Amino acid sequence: MKIRVLAIAPYEGLKGLLESMVQDDSRIELDIEVADLHNAIPIVHAAKDRYDVILSRGGTSRLIRRHVTIPVVDIPVSGYDILRVLTLVKNSNSKVAIIGFPNICRGVAEVSSLLDFDIPIYSVEEAEDVPEALQKAFAHGIQIVLGDVVTVNTAEQMGYNGILITTGRESVIEALGEVKRMYDVVWRAQENEHLFERILEHHRTGVMAVDEKGGVIYANEAASALLGYDRTVIRGMNLTGIDPVWGRYLEEATRLQADTAQKQTRWFQRRQINIEIIVPAEQSKTNCKFFIYLYPAQTKQDSTVISSFEITERIAAFAQIMGSSSPIQQTIKRAKTMAQSDLPLWIAGEAGSGKKLFCQAIHSASSHASDELHIIPCDQLSEEEQAAMLFGTDVTPGLLFKESVGTICLEQIQQLSLALQRKLLTVMQAGTQARLIVTSIQPIKLLLKREEMDHDFVQAFMDMNLSLPPLRERLEDIEEIARVLIANYNSRHGKQIVGIRPEVLEDDLMHKLWPGNIEQLKLVIESMLACTNGHYVGVKEAKDGWRKVKESLQSDVVRHTAELNLSGTWDEIEQRILLEILQKEGMNQSKAAKRLGINRSTLWRKLKDVLQ
């Protein structure tokens, strides 16, 4: 493969020398332009991506190197080049000086010392320094200056003689050899880079290189997919723009690194991704501050169970809790205050009174709002599932120990076993990353006396508990709640219902006790709306709605009855029914007895033959 070389020759004679020396070189494909210093910059910019190496001399090569990323090889000013020009002026009657960049001046100083030839030397760092150096030289009686193209051209513009230090064949040979050596090194490095990049691109682990401000320098295909972006887009993005929580992660990783010179690793978990952040002890020249590795979380069944209780849709805020009555407004005010605390919180309220809604609103208003919210129905899980979800297993950390979890809400806390209540209390006392919220239908003071509740566990919530008012204590809020339900129903079903007639609202809805609270109200109103074809829910539509609700409930009863085995004697049927209720209550006899409206001893007597 030929090496594509662009040569920028500061003077015409160098172009001819280069052409003559590469015509028989099978490895080099050479294009030559004659330009000096700033005149060379537009040429190299126009030639971007067309060449492997750029070849030039002196100050021109130094300037080009600042504007390109490909290798730039400098044609050196050799001792032979200097010797030739010093031999030319050695016996001159005119005062001679050398003005040039440090590399030329050092060479002249060495050779002139060997020749025992004393010559003033004026070293410059930049081309802009040449006129001032010439003025100093001429002020000291110098008549002829030796130097690079810029020195000679500037001297002639000022009316003085200049002699160019030209490049000889040996310098060109050395430069072309360096071109080949540099190309081979760069080619091998690029091949290795492509190999490593192919390895990274096909690896299932997400890999990112990130600068100190959170900018993504590199991200492989897996990292892009885990974060939900195309790999062509994510590079150059800032992680905090993807998710503000990244700012905290990087800050914590940096804080750890400040305490030691060793490599530091920090683990987090975010949206089912395990995150490893490494701050290397030695920083690279590419501005890479962090190496970040993203691992998909466990895909086993226990992880699936955990993720199924995460609230990933839009989480409610306090503004979505409807009602302007004093009871609900005072409750909202207390809840907002409690949202600012990280202490465990107990929410008590009748079925359907809005415990889950308050839990979401408290999470949204808390410092954990950007983290995950998990709402776990304790009555739907076995004790083993509850333990695995909260405290983890051998392969999966529990929610209580995951960095990504902000709030954990345990619904029906009375369904958590005594052993798990005590274990949870121990973790609460030690401190957790997540904020814990528990809910119950019964008031906390009543549960304090129940045998299925650990006294110390309940006592830990006595200073942070919230009691939600039932709907029957704020009937004046029904109209406002109904308005929202109507709007939502219209948007889902394409209707244009604008309200409920006063006779329905005041004489019907506001005269019910609503034992099922908001959920029951929602069921009834939506049934009325389904029966409404006009703009208002009137008396007829209300009656049709109530009838529809009753038919639905009767249908459920019939369907449930059909599922029962009604064969055998009355005592056998009764035993099957009682056993089913007991199983649905987690084999808790007290709960089953309460649900059946009988005392515990009666339940035990009727089922003792089965249970023993």
Side-chain angles (χ1 to χ4, degrees):
M1 183 181 292
K2 289 215 170 200
I3 307 171
R4 300 168 300 166
V5 181
L6 172 63
I8 305 294
Y11 61 96
E12 190 69 36
L14 180 57
K15 177 181 179 182
L17 180 60
L18 287 166
E19 287 175 337
S20 67
M21 295 190 67
V22 298
Q23 59 184 358
D24 297 327
D25 195 318
S26 61
R27 289 198 65 193
I28 293 180
E29 181 182 297
L30 183 67
D31 291 332
I32 307 174
E33 299 284 349
V34 178
D36 186 37
L37 292 173
H38 293 287
N39 294 328
I41 302 307
I43 296 173
V44 297
H45 282 166
K48 184 179 180 183
D49 300 329
R50 289 165 46 198
Y51 296 96
D52 302 309
V53 181
I54 294 177
L55 182 65
S56 192
R57 195 186 94 144
T60 304
S61 63
R62 292 176 63 193
L63 184 60
I64 292 172
R65 199 171 281 116
R66 299 174 189 170
H67 291 266
V68 298
T69 57
I70 65 173
V72 178
V73 172
D74 188 26
I75 302 173
V77 176
S78 70
Y80 293 107
D81 298 333
I82 295 169
L83 181 59
R84 278 190 291 267
V85 74
L86 290 181
T87 301
L88 179 64
V89 301
K90 183 176 181 182
N91 296 318
S92 173
N93 293 323
S94 301
K95 293 185 69 173
V96 180
I98 176 75
I99 296 177
F101 295 103
N103 61 323
I104 295 177
C105 292
R106 285 192 296 269
V108 169
E110 289 294 329
V111 175
S112 62
S113 176
L114 289 171
L115 296 175
D116 196 22
F117 177 44
D118 186 21
I119 181 171
I121 297 174
Y122 297 85
S123 180
V124 296
E125 293 292 335
E126 303 290 342
E128 291 76 12
D129 301 332
V130 171
E132 183 181 351
L134 283 168
Q135 288 174 354
K136 288 182 181 178
F138 298 147
H140 289 88
I142 300 299
Q143 296 167 296
I144 300 174
V145 292
L146 310 179
D148 209 338
V149 173
V150 63
T151 300
V152 173
N153 288 343
T154 306
E156 291 177 350
Q157 289 170 9
M158 297 174 68
Y160 294 88
N161 291 321
I163 297 177
L164 179 66
I165 302 174
T166 58
T167 296
R169 293 179 64 84
E170 66 284 342
S171 296
V172 172
I173 291 171
E174 182 181 345
L176 293 176
E178 181 63 19
V179 165
K180 296 172 185 177
R181 286 190 296 273
M182 184 170 288
Y183 174 80
D184 290 342
V185 170
V186 171
W187 183 83
R188 283 194 297 270
Q190 288 177 340
E191 284 298 298
N192 287 334
E193 180 182 341
H194 292 154
L195 173 63
F196 297 147
E197 186 165 357
R198 285 195 295 272
I199 292 172
L200 288 173
E201 287 305 323
H202 290 88
H203 203 284
R204 71 181 66 182
T205 300
V207 180
M208 293 193 294
V210 176
D211 64 27
E212 62 180 353
K213 294 183 179 179
V216 178
I217 300 171
Y218 169 82
N220 69 350
E221 188 72 41
S224 306
L226 287 168
L227 294 177
Y229 287 85
D230 187 276
R231 66 183 297 269
T232 60
V233 174
I234 196 171
R235 295 187 189 185
M237 292 181 67
N238 195 288
L239 286 177
T240 56
I242 295 173
D243 192 329
V245 77
W246 278 104
R248 175 163 62 86
Y249 291 170
L250 298 181
E251 182 183 349
E252 289 186 21
T254 304
R255 190 163 56 245
L256 281 175
Q257 195 264 348
D259 298 332
T260 175
Q262 302 300 315
K263 178 195 82 172
Q264 288 295 315
T265 300
R266 187 76 167 90
W267 283 91
F268 303 92
Q269 191 185 62
R270 183 73 182 160
R271 301 293 177 195
Q272 303 308 308
I273 301 173
N274 292 320
I275 302 168
E276 180 184 15
I277 300 180
I278 294 178
V279 184
E282 294 183 4
Q283 297 299 309
S284 69
K285 296 180 181 179
T286 59
N287 297 323
C288 178
K289 174 77 173 179
F290 307 98
F291 295 126
I292 300 177
Y293 300 92
L294 309 177
Y295 307 94
Q298 294 287 334
T299 57
K300 295 185 179 180
Q301 185 176 1
D302 51 1
S303 293
T304 304
V305 171
I306 288 175
S307 63
S308 67
F309 294 114
E310 181 187 353
I311 307 300
T312 55
E313 298 177 355
R314 188 174 63 183
I315 298 175
F318 279 112
Q320 291 169 267
I321 300 175
M322 304 309 299
S324 55
S325 65
S326 178
I328 195 64
Q329 286 299 311
Q330 289 177 6
T331 305
I332 292 173
K333 183 178 180 180
R334 285 199 67 212
K336 286 181 177 179
T337 301
M338 291 176 173
Q340 305 310 308
S341 170
D342 284 336
L343 293 174
L345 170 64
W346 189 304
I347 301 177
E350 294 180 3
S353 59
K355 296 184 289 298
K356 185 179 294 187
L357 185 63
F358 267 87
C359 174
Q360 292 190 30
I362 289 169
H363 173 79
S364 297
S366 73
S367 59
H368 300 282
S370 62
D371 295 324
E372 297 171 8
L373 166 64
H374 291 258
I375 298 181
I376 302 168
C378 295
D379 58 329
Q380 296 179 21
L381 301 174
S382 67
E383 184 173 356
E384 292 75 14
E385 289 174 325
Q386 293 169 353
M389 187 168 294
L390 291 174
F391 305 104
T393 65
D394 293 338
V395 295
T396 307
L399 292 177
L400 290 166
F401 308 106
K402 286 188 175 182
E403 173 72 23
S404 59
V405 178
T407 304
I408 302 170
C409 176
L410 301 178
E411 293 185 308
Q412 299 282 15
I413 189 61
Q414 68 275 12
Q415 300 287 354
L416 200 69
S417 70
L418 284 170
L420 289 184
Q421 290 177 37
R422 291 165 185 145
K423 188 173 181 180
L424 184 56
L425 177 61
T426 301
V427 174
M428 287 164 48
Q429 291 169 341
T432 63
Q433 170 69 27
R435 204 275 176 85
L436 183 66
I437 298 177
V438 305
T439 73
S440 67
I441 293 176
Q442 296 86 1
I444 186 172
K445 291 183 178 179
L446 178 62
L447 287 177
L448 194 61
K449 305 173 183 177
R450 300 281 290 270
E451 60 183 26
E452 65 265 29
M453 297 302 298
D454 180 77
H455 181 273
D456 292 335
F457 176 77
V458 178
Q459 195 67 42
F461 292 87
M462 292 306 292
D463 293 331
M464 284 291 285
N465 66 86
L466 185 69
S467 181
L468 306 187
L471 184 58
R472 62 181 174 274
E473 293 181 5
R474 55 185 191 106
L475 294 173
E476 62 268 38
D477 290 331
I478 289 179
E479 183 177 7
E480 191 173 344
I481 296 169
R483 191 178 296 116
V484 174
L485 294 175
I486 291 171
N488 291 338
Y489 188 88
N490 286 342
S491 64
R492 292 199 312 272
H493 298 280
K495 290 195 174 185
Q496 289 79 43
I497 302 170
V498 296
I500 299 175
R501 296 288 185 189
E503 55 269 28
V504 174
L505 186 67
E506 297 172 7
D507 300 338
D508 184 4
L509 299 180
M510 294 181 66
H511 278 269
K512 297 291 189 295
L513 294 178
W514 300 109
N517 293 285
I518 306 295
E519 290 302 314
Q520 184 186 8
L521 176 68
K522 179 180 178 181
L523 175 66
V524 170
I525 288 182
E526 290 197 348
S527 295
M528 293 178 177
L529 296 174
C531 299
T532 302
N533 295 318
H535 293 304
Y536 287 91
V537 177
V539 174
K540 179 182 180 302
E541 291 81 6
K543 289 181 178 178
D544 291 342
W546 277 113
R547 184 168 57 253
K548 187 175 181 180
V549 170
K550 292 175 182 177
E551 288 173 355
S552 176
L553 293 175
Q554 289 171 353
S555 174
D556 288 343
V557 171
V558 171
R559 185 169 59 253
H560 182 69
T561 303
E563 293 173 356
L564 291 175
N565 180 3
L566 299 180
S567 61
T569 65
W570 169 255
D571 289 339
E572 290 172 339
I573 296 172
E574 183 185 45
Q575 272 192 345
R576 283 197 290 270
I577 294 173
L578 294 178
L579 186 58
E580 182 179 350
I581 298 297
L582 182 60
Q583 289 172 339
K584 286 187 175 181
E585 292 296 338
M587 300 305 290
N588 188 307
Q589 295 180 35
S590 297
K591 294 177 186 177
K594 183 176 180 181
R595 179 173 173 179
L596 292 164
I598 60 178
N599 59 48
R600 191 171 174 223
S601 59
T602 301
L603 177 64
W604 168 254
R605 179 172 50 79
K606 289 179 177 291
L607 289 177
K608 64 180 179 178
D609 294 336
V610 178
L611 297 176
Q612 285 180 338

